[in-house]
Amino acid sequence: MPDTAYRSETYFKGVERIAFEGPDSENPLAYRYYDKDRVVLGKRMEDHLRFAVCYWHSFCWDGVDVFGQGTFKRPWLAGAMNREAAAAKMAVAFEFLEKLGAPFFCFHDVDVMAQAETLKEHASHFAEAVDGLEAHMARSKVKVLWGTANLFSHPRFAAGAATNPDPDVFAFAATQVRLCLEATKRLGGANYVLWGGREGYDTLLNTDLKRELDQLGRFLALAVEHKHKIGFSGPLLIEPKPHEPTKHQYDFDTASVYGFLLRYGLEKDVKVNIEANHATLAGHSFEHEIALADSLGILGSIDINRGDPQNGWDTDQFPNDPSEMVMTLYRLIKAGGFTTGGFNFDAKVRRQSIDPIDMFHGHVGGVDALARGLLGAAALIENGKLDEFVAARYAGWDKDAGKKIFAKDATLAGIADAALKANVAPKPVSGRQEYLENLVNRFV
Ligand code: XLS
Ligand code: NI
Ligand code: NI
């Protein structure tokens, strides 16, 4: 039986609300950079970062890995996830959110509810959990950054949710998405996320690729239709990931998601939720994925974490690399900052970090890493040299030579004739990479 004797305010004994104490503080449970009301580039830090705690890693995972049992011994995870255990988990979650001073959280439907055996039971247990969330949110003022349906943990989804060979699995998943989208709207959530963990294949030998892509396009189109029908104003966000758990996932990276959206005519309604560790698994830098999403006009939100340079899976560690954080915040600010999105800590403490207090160390450090990145990025922008350099590098495109190429009546032959006539002889110009790297390092 789960131990449900504890209640809100009692699991993280001795932890007070985390306060800003400045860079010289020796207190490990204080923010050294995150000063939520401090105005940076005309906006409060809290409004720049819009950070969220994710329900799943912090409150649903007991430290299990593929070789070993849970190590954390969270009391609410000790037995069956029944209604009492789900309620106890929720009380602990909100105690944590409030003490951390988190403005947002993110959740999967199954994270917040009692375990269900049937679809009908899913609907009723989830409804009860949403009532609970609503009450906790009203009291604490913590908001939903996004909700999502878990369409990957249960064995029924082993061969995919939308892309399953069995249409009943599609219908089951569609029901979950309908309920979770409606709940996210009711809770005032800012976005709705779809991560296709099982929407891919383990072997092409048993896979009809064309059908599966059409099924996924259909699923997404139906979700868009329902979003409009119920008047959910936030965007739908696809979270790209190249593989893990499947060998190949269809929403591989930002570029492939964009191609998919264009093919199914969904590019106006759907954006991306970019995750740092997923970018690196796809062979990109995190900065690349943000810059590309911005240039395609589909940057929605960010799952902030980091991988491990020596291994190739989604380790979901808390971000802590100052230079990566400066460039992340720089790209975000250049993209105009978040509108509905935010930084969701899709991150978990290590399996040996067994004390409840370790959850605070992880999140406090992560928030501070972002805040420090924000200050560095703001200083880099105020310095102006990086932006000036890039603008100067492309300046020719704003002059005659560039404008003529983009003129409506321009042809390849016309451009070639003019080039021949002028006998154009372009001179190589230094890219100044080392100079720029040194410049950025001054703000890390
Ligand atoms: C897994 C994903 C997942 C999504 C939500 O790798 O990051 O946690 O963010 O389903
Ligand atoms: Ni994620
Ligand atoms: Ni992930």
Side-chain angles (χ1 to χ4, degrees):
M1 278 298 287
D3 170 7
T4 53
Y6 54 84
R7 276 290 170 258
S8 185
E9 308 300 324
T10 64
Y11 186 66
F12 302 101
K13 285 190 205 69
V15 181
E16 303 295 327
R17 189 170 168 123
I18 308 294
F20 170 71
E21 292 184 8
D24 297 329
S25 173
E26 291 290 332
N27 176 4
L29 290 181
Y31 293 123
R32 300 168 71 229
Y33 297 95
Y34 181 65
D35 181 5
K36 69 185 173 81
D37 293 319
R38 176 167 171 189
V39 173
V40 181
L41 297 176
K43 203 154 113 182
R44 292 169 61 249
M45 263 195 176
E46 188 178 54
D47 300 333
H48 272 288
L49 302 182
R50 293 169 59 81
F51 82 84
V53 171
C54 83
Y55 219 94
W56 51 100
H57 288 317
S58 289
F59 312 114
C60 307
W61 180 58
D62 207 18
V64 181
D65 76 5
V66 278
F67 292 103
Q69 308 169 3
T71 52
F72 298 152
K73 312 270 179 258
R74 309 276 191 235
W76 60 93
L77 299 176
M81 185 43 65
N82 56 26
R83 296 160 67 209
E84 292 72 35
K89 188 205 281 188
M90 199 176 284
V92 171
F94 278 83
E95 181 193 349
F96 184 77
L97 290 163
E98 288 191 74
K99 288 185 170 173
L100 188 69
F104 294 100
F105 71 102
C106 298
F107 69 97
H108 298 91
D109 48 4
V110 304
D111 297 344
V112 295
M113 60 185 258
Q115 194 176 328
E117 299 308 322
T118 65
L119 187 56
K120 281 194 174 153
E121 209 173 59
H122 176 97
S124 70
H125 286 180
F126 184 50
E128 180 175 318
V130 175
D131 289 343
L133 287 176
E134 199 170 50
H136 278 292
M137 289 170 66
R139 179 184 48 74
S140 64
K141 309 285 177 245
V142 182
K143 297 184 291 265
V144 170
L145 184 64
W146 48 263
T148 188
N150 179 325
L151 307 177
F152 48 88
S153 293
H154 194 279
R156 80 175 62 85
F157 298 125
T163 61
N164 201 288
D166 179 355
D168 280 352
V169 178
F170 184 110
F172 198 112
T175 310
Q176 273 185 256
V177 168
R178 177 199 177 166
L179 295 173
C180 196
L181 189 53
E182 290 174 1
T184 303
K185 175 181 190 282
R186 181 177 140 197
L187 296 172
N191 311 268
Y192 185 83
V193 163
L194 296 119
W195 171 63
R198 304 281 175 194
E199 312 293 19
Y201 60 78
D202 288 320
T203 173
L204 278 172
L205 291 176
N206 63 16
T207 303
D208 184 334
L209 202 54
K210 184 176 182 323
R211 261 186 204 277
E212 293 206 359
L213 290 174
D214 284 347
Q215 286 171 219
L216 193 54
R218 180 72 181 146
F219 194 79
L220 203 55
L222 291 168
V224 167
E225 176 256 332
H226 197 65
K227 165 195 131 90
H228 289 302
K229 184 185 281 169
I230 64 173
F232 178 69
S233 58
L236 300 187
L237 306 177
I238 291 194
E239 185 175 320
K241 186 174 184 179
H243 38 71
E244 193 203 353
T246 49
K247 171 186 161 65
H248 175 88
Q249 277 165 220
Y250 299 136
D251 45 17
F252 195 92
D253 59 2
T254 298
S256 29
V257 166
Y258 191 63
F260 180 88
L261 295 178
L262 286 182
R263 173 169 161 86
Y264 293 98
L266 300 165
E267 72 279 7
K268 297 265 182 299
D269 290 287
V270 185
K271 294 180 173 170
V272 287
N273 178 40
I274 290 172
E275 180 162 321
N277 203 168
H278 297 182
T280 45
L281 290 179
H284 305 305
S285 67
F286 181 31
E287 187 188 345
H288 163 90
E289 285 288 89
I290 300 174
L292 183 62
D294 173 34
S295 59
L296 297 171
I298 55 166
L299 178 61
S301 197
I302 292 179
D303 272 10
I304 189 75
N305 57 18
R306 75 175 204 273
D308 179 291
Q310 273 79 51
N311 65 21
W313 68 89
D314 200 8
T315 59
D316 289 330
Q317 288 165 252
F318 284 89
N320 71 352
D321 179 335
S323 54
E324 186 177 62
M325 288 306 101
V326 168
M327 291 320 291
T328 298
L329 270 298
Y330 174 78
R331 292 291 161 208
L332 178 66
I333 295 169
K334 297 304 282 180
F338 288 127
T339 50
T340 61
F343 281 112
N344 167 44
F345 285 103
D346 197 347
K348 57 190 185 228
V349 294
R350 297 304 88 193
R351 211 169 157 256
Q352 293 178 62
S353 302
I354 57 176
D355 296 335
I357 199 74
D358 290 314
M359 289 167 57
F360 278 97
H361 290 307
H363 285 87
V364 167
V367 172
D368 256 351
L370 290 175
R372 189 174 159 188
L374 173 62
L375 295 173
L380 181 59
I381 288 168
E382 275 162 356
N383 167 277
K385 291 215 165 70
L386 180 59
D387 291 338
E388 274 165 31
F389 181 89
V390 176
R393 191 160 184 247
Y394 293 91
W397 288 95
D398 298 326
K399 296 185 186 138
D400 263 5
K403 283 186 181 157
K404 275 185 189 153
I405 291 173
F406 274 93
K408 265 217 179 80
D409 55 354
T411 61
L412 190 71
I415 292 167
D417 287 344
L420 280 168
K421 192 169 164 218
N423 201 15
V424 292
K427 288 189 193 63
V429 177
S430 172
R432 293 271 188 273
Q433 182 168 336
E434 296 75 12
Y435 157 80
L436 295 172
E437 287 168 347
N438 298 347
L439 174 67
V440 166
N441 271 355
R442 287 170 43 199
F443 301 95
V444 167

